[in-house]
Amino acid sequence: MERAVGRAWRATRHLIVGFGLSCACLFLVALFLIGLAATALVVGAGMLPETVLTVRRFAGFERRRVGVWTGVEVPEAYATLTGTVVERLRGAAEDPGTLRDLRWVGAQIVYGIVLFCVAVVVWVPAIVVDGLWCGVLGRAPVVLPLLTRTADLACGWSRALLTPSPQVRLARRVEQLTETRAGAVAAHGAELRRIERDLHDGTQARLVSLSMRIGLAKRAYDTDPVTGRALLDEAQTQAEEALTELRHVVRGIHPPVLTDRGLEGAVRALAASSGLDVEVSADGTDDGTRAPAAVEAAAYFAVAEALTNAAKHSGAERASVTLTRTPRLVRVRVHDEGRGGAEDALTGTDPEQPRGTGLTGIRRRVAALDGTVRVTSPAGGPTDIEVELPCAW
């Protein structure tokens, strides 16, 4: 009985908020009509795009409510209203989302008020009938579940009205893929420039110096063997340093440890060399199945960047890395209890910290694989970086 009453009360609260939203939609209708009139008079042409943005915010609120109630998010797809007043007006008028939201506003006024009244009416017999039926006879409630069904009905109507059409979602998806492709190309170009810079400034310079040392040793060997041997010793040292730098460049392209030991083993190796006390846990990765190389590399570099940031900037002594494999994705979560602020560094809003190019690189690399990155790092900590990469096993 208590569980049924709890569900009925949550449904009632949902319908009460819907009733309030219906009243707000009446205000939106008046605001939209005023915006149309102001646009017709030309002097208030800038009011209509702002009104459309206000309607979008209310529609977004309803999408979140429906997502919370049903557990399934309602997608949205809007054209960006930017540019001059004329461009913004044209964008608002041509965007299919504007008409979709206006249809929802009109319908919400009706079914939000009607379903709230239904809930009020249902509570009266529910108290009497279910109070006797459940409280005295110990049977399952009969009337209270109608409130939950009423809330489900309201969410179903809102979802049907606010969900973009398949054509609109396809167009939005094409835009997203275009953006991620541009990011991937930029990231690839930056990576090539980094490799070229490392080879030119590091390895190539050492190899030139090595060649000069060997040449000097050859010239000095017949007349001054001691000097020639010393030059050969220096050349050997420089050859070893050049090999070390080459290994570093190779690890930056695709770490050999990732190929040899897989993602979990490579992450454990990262944790051991990070300078922090890092706890690594893995879920669903013990059957020997490997993800594609690009997915493993993106996850590995995300962990490497997150641990590097934690060691350099967070002030934390401990961190944790969690690897999770599901049937459709690889999830990586890095957590530390440091001072936080990674969000400000990422966006460049903190003047005391440089812009987080490392995290930006992670986002580009992950976006190229249609993945997502979530960074939660308020000032004072803690910091959570979660990466999800789609993967077919």
Side-chain angles (χ1 to χ4, degrees), residues 57-104:
R57 296 186 187 99
F58 277 86
F61 173 73
E62 178 65 5
R63 286 188 179 92
R64 290 190 294 273
R65 283 203 326 129
V66 173
V68 170
W69 179 261
T70 62
V72 180
E73 293 183 358
V74 182
E76 67 176 30
Y78 292 115
T80 304
L81 302 185
T82 57
T84 63
V85 173
V86 175
E87 290 172 342
R88 297 179 70 200
L89 278 171
R90 184 183 297 113
E94 294 177 352
D95 185 10
T98 301
L99 180 59
R100 182 175 58 247
D101 288 351
L102 291 177
R103 284 200 303 261
W104 165 75

Side-chain angles (χ1 to χ4, degrees), residues 202-245:
T203 307
Q204 179 177 304
R206 291 192 182 279
L207 290 176
V208 171
S209 179
L210 172 62
S211 177
M212 293 176 61
R213 294 286 179 183
I214 294 176
L216 292 173
K218 288 173 64 178
R219 293 175 58 184
Y221 189 76
D222 293 333
T223 58
D224 190 354
V226 176
T227 302
R229 181 178 293 276
L231 290 171
L232 287 175
D233 290 339
E234 292 178 3
Q236 182 180 7
T237 301
Q238 289 183 345
E240 293 173 352
E241 292 175 350
L243 286 173
T244 300
E245 290 187 357

